[in-house]
Amino acid sequence: MSDVLLEIENLHVTFASPHGPIRAVDGLSLRAERGATLGVVGESGSGKSVTFLAAMRLLDPATATVSGRIRLDGVDLLTLPSREMQTVRGPRIGMIFQDPLAALHPLLRVGDQISETLRAHGDISRRDASDRAVAALRRVGIPSPDERARQYPHELSGGMRQRVMIAMALVLEPELLIADEPTTALDTTVEAQILALIDDLRTRIGLGVVLISHSLATVSQVADTVAVMYAGRAIERGPCSDVFGQPQHPYTWGLLDSLPAVDGGHESLTPIPGAPPSLADLPPGCRFGPRCGYRMPACGERVPDLVERHAGHADACILPMDGREGLRRAPIAHPANSEPAP
Ligand SMILES: Nc1ncnc2c1ncn2[C@@H]1O[C@H](COP(=O)(O)OP(=O)(O)OP(=O)(O)O)[C@@H](O)[C@H]1O
Ligand SMILES: [Mg+2]
């Protein structure tokens, strides 16, 4: 049974720039379910953060044009009046922003920042809000939460600040948590603790989670489903075990082949040649085409649709389905490698 909480359909986000429109998100569709974790992966600049800032309606309308549908429990957030959006942002969707220092006010004590969030969304006394803030800090595993609540962000370690961000995102008990790189720059022990904390909330209160991460290893450990983004589109998506177990898109193959060996061995890593395209000057057809070792002439003709092959596992590639696994081991040529050096 599917229990879709957030459904993004044909999302486009374009930024105005002096060099022409930047198509940061370009026909993206994906969904997150209640009580499950959707992992979103892809290289830097693939549109991961912009997608979910659009869902929170936090992009500046003066520079960003957003179209498509982003439904929370069936209600399109993109057409919701701004006033109603305030009852979504925080109470229904909590977000851990990619840069916790930028998201925390440097001159306010962390406890007060959480209390303010509570007071902005409900009729609650200063005293009760302060008690709930301390309880929220305790829930995310912060030792001596009374003392920590009185500290300023710069007095906390990176791991503690991440926990404060999680506490703040969850204090209003949202249905959906969007965690944008919540563990970047943390050591692996703290990373594991934070992921376990989010996962515990998922199972205990049925929280839906979107986990945005550069790390395929992290996503493969905690996500139920995964979307692989490239140049503003999902190029593969499906159950985590399928996408990592039987990846179908040459870009996903490239991402997986560029991972260091899990056992720390010295197998040679194969980085994906070339770089993602300029979003102001996208190549015709498949966006990954110029870097793809399996490119065929037809790849340049049109942008391939995301096609479901079986049981929720979809990819946007026109390679014949038969024998893809064999192809993976035998790329035709890496065009970006064979280009003459500039
Ligand atoms: N306000 C803005 N104005 C213009 N371009 C923007 C703006 N915000 C984002 N972009 C561009 O949109 C593209 C997607 O950005 P986004 O932040 O979503 O990438 P990302 O996948 O989250 O990358 P990272 O992994 O580095 O966080 C980038 O090319 C970025 O430069
Ligand atoms: Mg980002």
Side-chain angles (χ1 to χ4, degrees), residues 279-290:
L279 300 174
D281 184 20
L282 289 164
C286 175
R287 307 280 144 87
F288 184 60

Side-chain angles (χ1 to χ4, degrees), residues 1 8 13 44 78 83 102 177-178 208-209 212-213 260 275 280 308 317:
M1 190 191 73
I8 296 179
V13 180
S44 189
L78 294 182
R83 266 183 74 107
L177 174 70
I178 298 170
V209 179
I212 303 171
S213 179
E308 185 161 321
C317 179

Side-chain angles (χ1 to χ4, degrees), residues 15 22 24 43-50 98 181 214 279:
F15 293 104
I22 296 173
E43 278 165 294
S44 189
S46 55
K48 305 183 295 297
S49 297
V50 165
Q98 190 163 7
E181 303 277 5
H214 276 104
L279 300 174

Side-chain angles (χ1 to χ4, degrees), residues 17 26 38 40 44 48 57 90 102 138 149 154 164 173 212 214 225 236 251 278 294 296 317 320 323 334:
S17 92
D26 194 32
L38 164 70
V40 180
S44 189
K48 305 183 295 297
R57 293 259 301 270
R138 182 177 295 114
H154 72 267
V164 171
E173 299 173 0
I212 303 171
H214 276 104
T225 55
E236 182 159 0
Y251 177 61
S278 158
Y294 306 86
M296 304 180 287
C317 179
H334 272 305

